[in-house]
Amino acid sequence: MPTFDLAVTPLRDLNQALHDIAPGDNDLQFDVVNPRGHHAVASGVHAPVSIDIHGSVGYYCGGMNEEAVITVHGSAGPGVAENMMSGRITIKGDASQYAGATGCGGLLVIEGNASSRCGISMKGIDIVVRGNIGHMSAFMAQAGNLVVLGDAGEALGDSLYEARIFVRGKVESLGADCIEKEMRSEHIELLAALLAKAGISDVRPEEFSRYGSSRKLYNFNVDNAEAY
Amino acid sequence: MCGIVGLFLKDKSLEPELGAMLSSMLVTMTDRGPDSAGIAIYGASSGNSAKITVQSAKPKKDFSGLEAELMKELGTDVSIDIKSTHAVVTLPKGMLEEGRAAIAELRPDIRIMSSGDAIEIYKETGLPKDVVSRFAVNSMAGTHGIGHTRMATESAVTTLGAHPFSTGSDQCLVHNGSLSNHNNLRRELKREGMTFETENDTEVAAAYLTAEMAKGKNLGEALEGAVDDLDGFFTFVVGTKSGFGVVRDAIACKPAVMAETDRYVAFGSEYRALVNLPGIEAARVWEPEPATVYFWER
């Protein structure tokens, strides 16, 4: 089980070792200590490796992740899991701005709060936040699911495409073209599966409200100019 | 980008370490802004004296004989402590205005960095590590302080364009971001009698707060006004003689992390800046909310 102490080992060595994992390798459990807010910890990993980071990380942790299961036992700076493709990233603490931005797949679980622009332009990723999320979250989100157990800040889902948003708490305000939608049985099922996947068993899917696009901004129509 | 840091001590036993702690925080933020660096330190104010920090491009020429000339001009005891391109002029309390006027008269090329009972500001172009070692910031004691490492966007890379900006007695401000209405606001503030030394947007923000506080607001109230009256991107960290405040604009895209323990309140553009602080592992660490004023006073 390789352990990297970032207080003594350059970050580049850790990321190189993670990038060097070849198909069939069986040393697939990495421990990282003393991350001390370093940027780009475990970014660009493309292997079914499990990485435990003990402490808080800076910008872009786990960016572009494919297949890896990354757990940050601390908080994450801006851009965690940006453009994730697959795999799973768990943040035990809080996440800063634009968590999971542009993510194409995989699961991002934030056990604390996420800041502004969570899930901005998400394209298929699933994001589950146990706490609150900040303003302009899911802006231009295209696909995937954003699940928030706490509250959401201003302008949630502004200019939203087909991503689904589930919020259990209150929403400060909805962005342009984002509306509350009915929770049908298929949404309850979907949400139950997402919560189970995120390891959350103390809330029920029925407690959430669903938000989505009213699809008025898909094509320009002068009658909808007010919605912009 | 720019990197900003701030530290407000609650525990007196940390005061001898203020300069060292702030320097370490600032040097960590070097890659956010390598153009220039500056630091404001609030030292313990002695009962009867005040100080003016000055800067000169030709320190040998400008500082030579200044002590004696100032004493003669002001008719009182004055002492000067020269540190590289800066010097701290200590004079009796209540003589700051006369002191500033005398310095301007005797040495027109000297720039005044700060004045007040407790504040000293050191700033120069160059890397933070060089700036802090040039002024021996590591060995300075104090109650609170703020620092800035600059990536210049709105005005030239010069000593005067470096932060912190001080536009009032014992007041200073550092800024990450850029303001879009600073020219209009500068004109309005000039009409109200404020004076400006640079074309820098941050100087306008500092002058705005000074003008608001001159109207009787406390720092917290002045910062509330800044959220409405300043347009653009900003994360500000400000200091007064006894206070320390933080505010971000409503969009809040400039980064900020805060930490609080029983011993201190700390601010950094990034968490990295805070990792060497004592007890940081157990501190309450959070991201300041947009358009929300955070303010501590002793």
Side-chain angles (χ1 to χ4, degrees):
Chain A
M1 188 176 82
T3 295
F4 282 77
D5 182 350
L6 293 184
V8 292
T9 307
L11 174 68
R12 213 169 265 270
D13 292 2
L14 165 69
N15 282 340
Q16 193 63 59
L18 291 166
H19 297 171
D20 286 345
I21 294 170
D25 282 0
N26 52 18
D27 219 355
L28 295 175
Q29 168 64 51
F30 279 60
D31 260 312
V32 179
V33 297
N34 289 316
R36 295 164 62 84
H38 269 303
H39 298 171
V41 177
S43 277
V45 181
H46 184 184
V49 58
S50 177
I51 306 161
D52 279 275
I53 302 164
H54 301 276
S56 293
V57 292
Y59 285 63
Y60 306 123
C61 175
M64 303 173 283
N65 184 52
E66 286 194 85
E67 301 186 65
V69 174
I70 301 172
T71 305
V72 177
H73 301 269
S75 290
V80 65
E82 185 163 288
N83 208 47
M84 178 151 77
M85 304 304 286
S86 65
R88 175 186 179 128
I89 299 181
T90 304
I91 310 300
K92 294 283 183 187
D94 297 332
S96 185
Q97 309 176 81
Y98 45 96
T102 76
C104 294
L107 174 68
L108 169 64
V109 179
I110 296 160
E111 298 194 353
N113 300 310
S115 173
S116 59
R117 295 172 273 271
C118 180
I120 186 168
S121 198
M122 52 195 278
K123 296 169 183 158
I125 189 174
D126 293 325
I127 304 175
V128 180
V129 182
R130 187 172 258 286
N132 306 321
I133 58 171
H135 63 272
M136 291 302 273
S137 289
F139 174 52
M140 293 206 295
Q142 289 147 58
N145 300 290
L146 172 61
V147 179
V148 183
L149 275 64
D151 302 333
E154 290 173 0
L156 177 70
D158 192 287
S159 307
L160 189 66
Y161 293 81
E162 290 305 294
R164 299 180 198 89
I165 306 174
F166 301 96
V167 182
R168 180 161 159 265
K170 67 175 200 312
V171 173
E172 189 77 31
S173 66
L174 294 174
D177 213 28
C178 182
I179 54 167
E180 185 170 351
K181 293 184 166 181
E182 183 196 355
M183 277 287 261
R184 296 194 301 267
S185 57
E186 70 256 38
H187 304 118
I188 301 280
E189 256 173 60
L190 170 77
L191 187 50
L194 283 167
L195 289 168
K197 214 164 125 188
I200 291 170
S201 56
D202 56 344
V203 298
R204 294 181 308 115
E206 291 80 7
E207 296 166 20
F208 289 75
S209 301
R210 179 169 74 103
Y211 302 88
S213 173
S214 68
R215 305 188 175 103
K216 283 188 180 151
L217 300 183
Y218 272 39
N219 300 295
F220 182 73
N221 178 337
V222 74
D223 293 338
N224 294 331
E226 287 280 295
Y228 284 90
Chain B
M1 284 212 282
C2 296
I4 51 185
V5 297
L7 188 58
F8 178 84
L9 299 179
K10 301 179 188 173
D11 180 349
K12 264 188 131 20
S13 71
L14 284 174
E15 288 180 9
E17 329 254 344
L18 181 81
M21 290 162 85
L22 259 182
S23 300
S24 150
M25 293 166 78
L26 191 67
V27 170
T28 307
M29 289 292 93
T30 300
D31 51 7
R32 295 192 63 90
D35 292 337
S36 59
I39 203 153
I41 296 252
Y42 290 85
S45 50
S46 81
N48 302 318
S49 64
K51 46 199 174 185
I52 302 173
T53 313
V54 297
Q55 182 268 352
S56 167
K58 298 186 187 104
K60 264 207 174 108
K61 175 174 158 279
D62 278 337
F63 297 154
S64 153
L66 182 59
E67 191 173 81
E69 288 174 57
L70 274 174
M71 277 205 258
K72 196 172 155 210
E73 183 78 16
L74 296 170
T76 182
D77 268 354
V78 172
S79 68
I80 295 190
D81 182 11
I82 297 169
K83 291 183 181 176
S84 183
T85 54
H86 287 47
V88 181
V89 179
T90 304
L91 67 181
K93 210 169 181 164
M95 291 201 68
L96 280 174
E97 282 317 305
E98 293 94 325
R100 287 179 74 116
I103 291 165
E105 165 99 22
L106 292 167
R107 298 285 191 277
D109 293 338
I110 276 185
R111 303 293 194 159
I112 292 177
M113 301 278 106
S114 67
S115 67
D117 292 347
I119 191 173
E120 292 174 25
I121 288 182
Y122 300 91
K123 58 186 190 183
E124 279 293 356
T125 55
L127 291 172
K129 74 172 169 55
D130 299 332
V131 173
V132 294
S133 84
R134 197 166 177 178
F135 301 113
V137 177
N138 265 312
S139 59
M140 291 180 75
T143 52
H144 56 298
I146 62 180
H148 185 273
T149 175
R150 180 171 187 232
M151 186 173 278
T153 55
E154 289 285 311
S155 73
V157 178
T158 60
T159 298
L160 282 184
H163 305 208
F165 281 91
S166 179
T167 51
S169 181
D170 279 317
Q171 297 169 11
C172 68
L173 174 147
V174 292
H175 172 206
N176 179 17
S178 60
L179 302 177
S180 47
N181 65 340
H182 63 100
N183 284 327
N184 264 340
L185 207 51
R186 188 185 288 109
R187 271 193 291 277
E188 286 170 25
L189 289 164
K190 275 182 181 168
R191 222 174 288 135
E192 290 176 27
M194 301 295 297
T195 56
F196 292 88
E197 300 216 35
T198 69
E199 291 301 308
N200 189 286
D201 58 338
T202 306
E203 188 182 13
V204 176
Y208 168 87
L209 294 178
T210 297
E212 292 301 297
M213 285 191 275
K215 292 172 194 162
K217 289 185 179 174
N218 69 25
L219 175 60
E221 291 163 344
L223 289 171
E224 298 276 359
V227 172
D228 294 328
D229 293 338
L230 299 178
D231 190 22
F233 298 121
F234 54 87
T235 293
F236 291 139
V237 180
V238 296
T240 62
K241 188 176 169 184
S242 56
F244 177 77
V246 172
V247 70
R248 302 167 84 195
D249 67 84
I251 306 290
C253 53
K254 292 299 174 185
V257 182
M258 303 204 65
E260 185 169 16
T261 71
D262 293 345
R263 307 182 76 192
Y264 59 80
V265 178
F267 175 96
S269 290
E270 298 177 28
Y271 178 74
R272 278 191 300 161
L274 311 178
V275 295
N276 290 325
L277 293 173
I280 189 70
E281 300 78 14
R284 182 170 83 91
V285 176
W286 78 101
E287 185 170 318
E289 293 284 329
T292 304
V293 173
Y294 297 82
F295 177 55
W296 288 264
E297 187 135 42
R298 69 178 79 251

